[in-house]
Amino acid sequence: MSAQGVKREARIDVKDAQGVKREARIDVKDALGVKRDRRIDVGDALGVKRDRRIDVEDALGVKRDRRIDVGEPLEGSRDRRIDVGEPLEGSREGRIDVGEPLEGSREGRIDVGEPLEGSREGRAEGCGPCRFFKRRGGACYDTSMQDTIARYGEPKNEPVFGYLPGSAERAALKAELGKQAGQSADVPLYIGGERLRTGKLRNIVCPHLHRHSLGVFHQGGAGHVEQAIQAALAAQADWAALPWQQRAAVFLKAADLLAGPWRMKVNAATMLGQSKTCYQAEIDAACELADFFRFNVYFYRRLLEGDQPLSPTPTWNQLDLRPLEGFVFAVTPFNFTSIAGNLPTAPALLGNVVLWKPAATSMLSAYYIMELLIEAGLPKGVINLVAGPAQEIGAVALSHPSLAGVHFTGSTGVFQQMWRTVGSGIDRYRTYPRLVGETGGKDFILAHDSADEDALIAAIVRGGFEYQGQKCSAASRIYVPQSLWGRIRDKLCAEIESIRMGDPSDFRNFMGAVIDAGAFQSITGYIRAASSVPGARVLCGGESDDTQGYFIRPTLVLADDPRHKLMCEEIFGPVVTLHVYDDWKEALRLVDTSSPYALTGAVFARDRQIIDQALGSLRHAAGNFYVNDKPTGAVVGQQPFGGARGSGTNDKAGSAMNLLRWTSLRAIKENFVPPKDYRYGFLTAE
């Protein structure tokens, strides 16, 4: 009987093991006497896979169709239970439990749970509260619908497209570049799943053609930051309760969308908005970001299964990888679209919720990342994007009691200020915030007399001038022995002078423009210092022009003084400073001590003993150390990235070590046979 005394009737015919087809019809009347129709077709009892289709008509006559695939029962069992799940809002469907017919019987069994008082929903018998159940209208429904351990094997790095003349990808990218260049993007805030437009606008421009607007983005203020934090906290419980594989599915889908139909969109946005060449955009915005999405899932799966504690009989010990309590504040730079995508999503994968502030000069690609994640199924409120004045946004986020972590890539000065802010108000937080930051670099190439000359020259040019030297890993200080310098000087200068620079839409260009007027002024100031500060001079390059775009020619400076400011300070532009040394051991000491940074570095030598000496003497001089290769281009899954000293916390983006920073471990012990007497044996009298 129902809650109102109306009888529900059901009958079922089941296809038996001999292949005799039977159809089932369930006629259910609810408390108001509204007839609802359910039909179930059950596959052969010997089939490994059974297909049941349930058609449900609610009281409004709206047909709802669900298909359920049910595997074989455990050996010796004849019971199968089908959970149809919770109806959509406004639906009157209940739950159906279908039992297997007893031996020799042709009748099935359908139990339809009675609705609770005042509810029209059926109720799953015996379900208790746990992380995989939710309550709605007084009824329980299962959110997992799975008994499985999802496996995700080690992924492969996303293949890099070549964009060769005549190739399909070259034509597709050029078409997308033309399309986006002719559009005007209107980039909103993303708060709680809503796209908010404040009307406080800022232009998105091409650095290489700064009079050309690509659109506008809306800026938020302190109130929007608070609103975004509250939206994140409201989404936290449901997101954390979602089984890990369901969270992972969002980012795996995002990776496949990015590698497929979204590839040219994100690449073109990166080229236009950040002045990257097609190759630099490809290895960053498409390949590295897809790698982050996939490898983070793989590393997370390994953490879940690989580090569980011992469980001596009769105990069962487990480690629970809980998300942090509160929100993570992700602050991302302009220079890598992949980092902009990884910093908010890596914590989110582990069940955290995020406030994301992108750089103002990368808002076009940030817009496409956010839309990509939404298409991939990211629930509302999990990642909330607020652009706007950095100080205003940071002041609210960093002082909020629910701040649980900071995921940052940017300048050393900004990160140090964030650390001071958190430290000075440490008693305000609910938990100690996790501070993870990758900051500046003054990255080196140290050459030995035994180095391969052509390989060294190629590494200096690529490592120093790709993406206009605007990489935290870019080679900016070079140490070459006197015996080698005379053999490579002219060829190195000729190679630098041969570099084409201009609009990245012209695929013949190796370099584009620096990011904005502020960067242009800072970098050209360092070039002027090469002449005005004694101990250095410009060997080639040095010209600049900001008439149409923020263009600076690739510049090589020769420094007689190994501690000249151009050898010690981060410039973040297409300026490489070279020092000629006389003594190998003194060169090792200079590399290790003349800069506060320790991000990337490289040694070039054929002599194996020399390589070993460099690895030992420079052990703390670089978090990413390269032998006979340029110090840029770390690949997810191959070279986990990060440095120490003034270069950050070295938490290695693109690795399991980084993911652990976004968990708060809980150890769980269960005793299957607990003691029943407090007395120990040693208390017994002799």
Side-chain angles (χ1 to χ4, degrees):
M1 301 285 290
S2 75
Q4 304 296 327
V6 180
K7 184 177 181 181
R8 301 187 181 205
E9 296 183 355
R11 69 178 180 275
I12 183 169
D13 295 321
V14 183
K15 185 173 181 180
D16 67 12
Q18 282 74 36
V20 180
K21 184 175 182 181
R22 289 168 288 160
E23 297 199 352
R25 180 179 295 275
I26 309 168
D27 297 333
V28 183
K29 288 191 179 182
D30 68 12
L32 299 179
V34 180
K35 182 175 178 180
R36 291 181 286 167
D37 182 60
R38 297 183 175 92
R39 294 192 302 278
I40 303 177
D41 294 336
V42 183
D44 189 275
L46 300 179
V48 173
K49 184 176 182 182
R50 298 180 180 226
D51 185 17
R52 298 185 173 123
R53 183 182 292 275
I54 303 176
D55 296 334
V56 182
E57 251 182 76
D58 66 15
L60 299 177
V62 179
K63 185 174 181 180
R64 302 174 187 273
D65 181 64
R66 292 183 179 156
R67 180 181 295 277
I68 302 178
D69 293 338
V70 183
E72 285 293 302
L74 298 177
E75 188 164 344
S77 169
R78 294 185 172 273
D79 185 60
R80 293 185 176 84
R81 183 177 294 260
I82 302 176
D83 259 340
V84 179
E86 194 63 14
L88 300 175
E89 185 97 5
S91 170
R92 300 180 181 275
E93 303 163 1
R95 290 184 180 278
I96 303 175
D97 297 334
V98 181
E100 196 64 20
L102 300 176
E103 183 132 356
S105 169
R106 302 225 169 218
E107 279 191 28
R109 179 174 83 250
I110 300 181
D111 299 326
V112 180
E114 293 296 320
L116 299 178
E117 188 75 26
S119 170
R120 298 186 183 279
E121 299 167 351
R123 183 169 176 273
E125 296 297 332
C127 64
C130 75
R131 66 177 294 188
F132 301 120
F133 284 79
K134 295 185 180 180
R135 311 285 301 184
R136 183 186 291 166
C140 256
Y141 70 99
D142 187 353
T143 67
S144 67
M145 300 284 284
Q146 294 179 187
D147 285 329
T148 183
I149 299 176
R151 294 205 171 274
Y152 183 69
E154 183 174 3
K156 304 294 185 184
N157 292 111
E158 177 63 25
V160 178
F161 286 4
Y163 298 96
L164 301 177
S167 65
E169 67 261 23
R170 188 179 179 110
L173 182 55
K174 280 185 171 291
E176 184 63 27
L177 286 166
K179 178 181 176 182
Q180 288 190 27
Q183 293 175 338
S184 182
D186 183 22
V187 180
L189 311 182
Y190 293 81
I191 299 177
E194 302 297 325
R195 296 171 176 85
L196 302 182
R197 291 175 167 84
T198 65
K200 185 180 178 182
L201 303 178
R202 182 169 167 180
N203 276 330
I204 303 171
V205 301
C206 294
H208 46 274
L209 191 62
H210 49 63
R211 293 179 183 175
H212 178 73
S213 174
L214 297 166
V216 295
F217 68 92
H218 294 255
Q219 299 182 90
H224 297 103
V225 178
E226 180 63 36
Q227 185 182 352
I229 292 170
Q230 294 306 318
L233 297 176
Q236 186 171 33
D238 285 351
W239 178 244
L242 202 62
W244 81 270
Q245 61 266 35
Q246 300 300 333
R247 297 196 303 269
V250 172
F251 303 109
L252 293 178
K253 181 175 181 179
D256 287 350
L257 289 170
L258 178 58
W262 283 72
R263 192 183 202 111
M264 301 308 165
K265 293 180 186 178
V266 180
N267 277 349
T270 301
M271 292 174 67
L272 293 171
Q274 291 141 265
S275 202
K276 286 201 171 187
T277 65
C278 64
Y279 179 76
Q280 291 298 310
E282 170 72 9
I283 61 175
D284 165 28
C287 297
E288 187 170 6
L289 183 52
D291 286 349
F292 274 131
F293 290 154
R294 291 169 177 150
F295 276 89
N296 281 343
V297 170
Y298 170 67
F299 293 137
Y300 185 28
R301 178 69 179 86
R302 281 175 48 186
L303 289 173
L304 289 170
E305 72 176 359
D307 293 312
Q308 291 298 317
L310 299 174
S311 296
T313 304
T315 63
W316 189 11
N317 299 312
Q318 302 173 70
L319 275 180
D320 176 16
L321 275 66
R322 303 174 300 179
L324 306 180
E325 284 190 284
F327 70 95
V328 174
F329 184 30
V331 181
T332 62
F334 76 85
N335 59 334
F336 279 96
T337 301
S338 56
I339 296 175
N342 182 57
L343 265 55
T345 58
L349 171 63
L350 279 77
N352 294 287
V353 289
V354 180
L355 167 64
W356 175 23
K357 185 211 167 296
T361 44
S362 64
M363 285 305 302
L364 188 61
S365 58
Y367 164 67
Y368 280 104
I369 290 171
M370 201 67 205
E371 291 293 333
L372 168 70
L373 293 172
I374 292 169
E375 181 167 329
L378 185 73
K380 297 178 179 180
V382 174
I383 296 176
N384 302 273
L385 184 154
V386 179
Q391 289 186 340
E392 187 175 359
I393 293 172
V396 177
L398 294 174
S399 63
H400 199 284
S402 293
L403 178 69
V406 173
H407 207 187
F408 175 86
T409 293
S411 75
T412 300
V414 171
F415 188 57
Q416 289 177 348
Q417 183 56 48
M418 296 172 81
W419 200 294
R420 290 188 196 99
T421 301
V422 171
S424 64
I426 197 65
D427 56 345
R428 71 164 64 98
Y429 304 110
R430 185 178 184 185
T431 185
Y432 291 103
R434 306 283 180 89
L435 304 182
V436 175
E438 188 262 295
T439 60
K442 188 65 178 176
D443 309 296
F444 63 86
I445 293 177
L446 172 60
H448 184 259
D449 183 66
S450 65
D452 182 311
E453 297 170 15
D454 291 336
L456 174 62
I457 291 170
I460 294 172
V461 175
R462 284 186 172 182
F465 302 120
E466 283 185 317
Y467 192 42
Q468 299 79 262
Q470 297 175 122
K471 299 183 181 184
C472 46
S473 58
S476 59
R477 55 183 174 129
I478 315 297
Y479 301 83
V480 176
Q482 183 70 51
S483 57
L484 181 62
W485 176 234
R487 303 200 301 268
I488 69 167
R489 172 176 173 160
D490 291 345
K491 183 173 182 180
L492 175 60
C493 289
E495 290 286 75
I496 293 171
E497 294 286 4
S498 73
I499 292 174
R500 283 182 57 108
M501 181 177 66
D503 188 335
S505 298
D506 182 345
F507 286 16
R508 297 171 298 173
N509 289 325
F510 183 83
M511 284 174 50
V514 299
I515 193 65
D516 61 13
F520 182 87
Q521 293 300 325
S522 174
I523 298 163
T524 54
Y526 275 102
I527 295 173
R528 287 192 296 272
S531 302
S532 62
V533 178
R537 63 186 184 278
V538 174
L539 287 184
C540 59
E543 302 86 5
S544 59
D545 184 356
D546 62 351
T547 306
Q548 300 293 327
Y550 303 113
F551 291 106
I552 300 173
R553 284 293 306 170
T555 301
L556 179 65
V557 175
L558 181 64
D560 298 324
D561 179 2
R563 297 187 183 274
H564 191 281
K565 67 178 295 182
L566 271 70
M567 290 292 292
C568 301
E569 297 179 13
E570 183 180 41
I571 300 174
F572 220 66
V575 180
V576 171
T577 309
L578 186 147
H579 173 69
V580 179
Y581 69 86
D582 294 313
D583 181 75
W584 168 251
K585 290 185 178 179
E586 175 62 14
L588 289 172
R589 191 184 68 81
L590 283 170
V591 169
D592 192 40
T593 62
S594 59
S595 172
Y597 301 105
L599 187 54
T600 74
V603 61
F604 275 77
R606 290 187 177 96
D607 188 316
R608 202 71 220 176
Q609 286 185 325
I610 292 297
I611 292 171
D612 187 62
Q613 286 179 18
L615 286 168
S617 298
L618 303 177
R619 190 177 188 194
H620 294 286
N624 280 59
F625 194 91
Y626 297 80
V627 178
N628 293 320
D629 201 359
K630 61 185 175 65
T632 63
V635 178
V636 178
Q638 298 184 37
Q639 297 95 30
F641 190 79
R645 296 182 180 170
S647 293
T649 57
N650 201 21
D651 286 295
K652 296 300 185 190
S655 75
M657 290 79 81
N658 181 275
L659 298 184
L660 274 175
R661 297 288 282 152
W662 311 116
T663 67
S664 178
L665 298 177
R666 177 175 64 153
I668 304 169
K669 176 187 176 181
E670 181 175 356
N671 195 334
F672 294 137
V673 187
K676 299 183 179 180
D677 189 336
Y678 81 88
R679 299 169 183 84
Y680 293 99
F682 71 85
L683 297 172
T684 305
E686 295 185 13

